Amino acid sequence: MKSIRNPVVIYVDSLARDFLIASVIKNILEKNGFKVFFVSRLTYIPVLKYLRPQLFIIIKNFLKNFEDDVVKYLKNSDVFVVDAEGAMTAERCEFHFKHFGLDVTKTVGVVKKAFLWNEEFAKFLIDFYGADKEKLVVSGSPKFSLSRYIQD
């Protein structure tokens, strides 16, 4: 069986919303020698069972609970989250957590880097979930932040 060096798996939660961002990240990584695979809600578990990525990038709403069934496959992977539905204020965060029973403790514990839309959301994750400030990068909207890598 042929081995794949430097595998990266990018989880694309919503094709319409996230594919542009995923494609830009894929192009940057491939230029740097990585082999990149896209997965979806339907394909990520079968792929992770057979391909243990060096890097697992999740492009989705950070507030969605991290899938329990995926954590066991990521023990030796770096996990990055690109928050796809950001711009959360403290009030909106509290509302989501109180009314929807969200718990991002597992996500905070597994993620090596999270790219967030604003300082308010980063502060919320630090204050309420003990997130490590060094793991949080406030980058704004990923579509705008990554647009500088799009070439004509």
Side-chain angles (χ1 to χ4, degrees):
M1 179 188 283
K2 184 177 180 182
S3 68
I4 298 171
R5 289 200 174 128
N6 301 327
V8 175
V9 172
I10 300 177
Y11 177 102
V12 181
D13 186 53
S14 168
L15 196 60
R17 179 191 66 210
D18 305 330
F19 189 69
L20 174 64
I21 299 162
S23 296
V24 172
I25 294 170
K26 178 181 187 231
N27 288 337
I28 293 167
L29 290 169
E30 286 181 339
K31 285 180 183 175
N32 287 286
F34 292 90
K35 180 66 180 160
V36 180
F37 302 89
F38 289 148
V39 294
S40 70
R41 295 176 196 169
L42 300 175
T43 62
Y44 72 97
I45 289 297
V47 170
L48 291 176
K49 282 182 179 178
Y50 299 104
L51 178 69
R52 302 300 168 110
Q54 178 179 348
L55 176 62
F56 185 59
I57 300 172
I58 304 164
I59 303 172
K60 69 183 283 185
N61 182 346
F62 192 93
L63 290 179
K64 298 291 184 191
N65 291 332
F66 200 76
E67 292 82 357
D68 290 335
D69 54 355
V70 75
V71 173
K72 63 184 172 190
Y73 299 113
L74 300 175
K75 287 185 171 65
N76 296 318
S77 302
D78 290 333
V79 178
F80 287 16
V81 174
V82 178
D83 189 11
E85 297 180 16
M88 296 294 281
T89 62
E91 295 81 23
R92 282 187 69 198
C93 289
E94 288 180 38
F95 177 82
H96 276 78
F97 285 93
K98 286 179 184 174
H99 290 79
F100 300 117
L102 300 176
D103 183 4
V104 295
T105 306
K106 286 183 185 166
T107 305
V108 168
V110 171
V111 171
K112 185 170 185 175
K113 283 285 182 197
F115 297 89
L116 308 173
W117 286 52
N118 62 44
E119 288 286 342
E120 221 172 323
F121 187 46
K123 184 174 176 353
F124 182 83
L125 292 173
I126 293 165
D127 292 346
F128 288 89
Y129 286 95
D132 181 350
K133 185 177 182 172
E134 299 300 314
K135 293 181 177 184
L136 305 177
V137 178
V138 177
S139 58
S141 166
K143 289 180 182 162
F144 291 115
S145 300
L146 291 171
S147 66
R148 66 179 171 215
Y149 295 104
I150 299 173
Q151 299 175 5
D152 295 328

